[in-house]
Amino acid sequence: MSKLRLLLALDALLRENSVSRAAASVGLQPSAMSRLLSQLREEYDDPLFLRTGHGLRPTPLAETLRLRVRALAAETEALFERAGAAAAADPQEQSGWEGAGLIAAPPLSVRPSLMLDGEPTPQAFAAKLARIGDDAAPQRRLARSIATIGTGAGRSRPLSEAEAEDALTIILAGEADPVQIGALMVALQYRGATAVEIAGFVKAIRRHVGAVAGSGAADLDWPCYLSPKLKTAPWFLHSARLVASAGYRVMLHGHYGQDGTERGKLEIAAARSGIAICASLEEADSALTGTGIAYLPLPALSPQVYRLLGLYGLMEMRIPLGAAVHLINPLGARTSLLGVANSAARTLSRDIALLLGLKDLTILGNTRDHAEFTPYRQTPVYRLIGGEPADLVVPALPTPPAEARTGLSTREYWEAVWTGAARDERAETTIVTTTAAALLSLGNTSDFETACETARALWTGRSRQMA
């Protein structure tokens, strides 16, 4: 009986995404619902819900339980509805006067308190969406997805992985109405996309670009989707060169925002570093075979995804697609190195990776959109090793004095640090620690200090030529 009560509480939490609203829906105090949630977490050995700015977000495990728990709750409600039905009359106790009246009174006229005039019940709404089959026209299927997530508490639910994949496939194929694209992305961003939904998006992008899962063409996938507001030099590209010089194949992909005057920043930096700039996955594969490092700009990988991310300028808000591009891993590298600053997003990224079958992953927890170490701030490092979480915290180093300003441009100074024409302890330590994080992700060593020693040796022994 106690476990049935827990499952009914879980159903309420999945419907409402809020402890207080879930408690109100089943007639409990919020404190009682909180205790039930604690018991559920112990039973499943899983947090089940993560707190976000938009309420509770179910974990992947909770999402897999949603439909089964809802079915159980619905059946429980139905059983209690029938409990008050009159029992059939015993034939031995009939008097002979039984029979239907000549005039039947209509039922008492009422309007359910949960409904507004003309509003369909949640059951009727779900049935309407179910009538839009998987063979319906693309815009109808996309409308079904929008209605599934955007119709409010009690009627909406997150998309399944297959539904999310289908929705983005329609958009990437150019078959969606522009209003639908905005509606889907804003609804997901406002509510907070689940790991299951973003995993579906990643699968749609992979299929769209022809990604080769598990091909082994690359050892390390290094996404670098920089904000145009970032004005620092791309020191991480020097780190990527060091990793490639150690014999690993490094696949870089990304872009430098949609606006601003430095859109070609990564392309210029890659070209100056001798990193091949590729126009296709085939070119990237060939470059990895030849030089061990390649950069594939997003406009070449997928113009459609590039333009979708450009919707930021129309909305002044990020969309869930931004989280998906970091996990494309287009050439099936065995591990990835990400930069994710938000604590909830770090957990989300790791959950997505597990859903996608990625067993090894490293997330630097104090940079956003690209992996570059910040050695003078404490850095949480979130990892997957063989599919199991393994985290560590790297303490901050003492901050050295700032270097005197030079007459060089930012790009010239960035090059001068590599060639040795300029000495900058801050920049060199950033490069070395970022290289160490990449070596750690590749399994070169299990200890960060040892990885730093290897990275320092790579830096000292580097070829100091720029392209």
Side-chain angles (χ1 to χ4, degrees), residues 140-165:
R140 288 283 289 156
R141 299 203 312 275
L142 191 53
R144 179 183 63 187
S145 294
I146 296 167
T148 297
I149 64 172
T151 51
R155 292 193 300 273
S156 62
R157 63 166 176 81
L159 299 176
S160 68
E161 189 174 292
E163 289 170 332
E165 182 178 357

Side-chain angles (χ1 to χ4, degrees), residues 18-19 44 64 67 74 113 150 182 248-249 255 267 273-274 286 307 356 386 391 406 416 451 461:
S18 161
V19 169
Y44 284 104
T64 64
L67 296 180
S113 59
Y248 297 103
R249 294 162 298 173
H255 73 104
E267 285 84 349
S273 302
S286 176
R307 291 302 181 191
L356 294 169
D391 303 335
T406 68

Side-chain angles (χ1 to χ4, degrees), residues 168-239:
L168 190 59
T169 297
I170 292 168
I171 293 171
L172 294 177
E175 298 176 317
D177 185 274
V179 173
Q180 289 181 308
I181 297 172
L184 180 72
M185 294 301 167
V186 170
L188 282 172
Q189 185 70 12
Y190 180 77
R191 189 207 64 210
T194 67
V196 173
E197 289 167 329
I198 298 179
F201 281 0
V202 174
K203 287 187 173 182
I205 297 172
R206 286 179 174 177
R207 186 167 58 181
H208 175 70
V209 302
V212 186
S215 69
D219 295 311
L220 177 65
D221 188 68
W222 198 324
C224 40
Y225 293 83
L226 279 62
S227 165
K229 298 175 183 177
L230 184 72
K231 298 304 178 185
T232 59
W235 301 113
F236 68 93
L237 285 183
H238 289 337
S239 302

Side-chain angles (χ1 to χ4, degrees), residues 314-330:
L314 295 177
M315 302 179 182
E316 283 300 325
M317 62 180 286
R318 293 191 170 212
I319 59 176
L321 206 61
V325 292
H326 292 269
L327 289 155
I328 300 171
N329 192 3

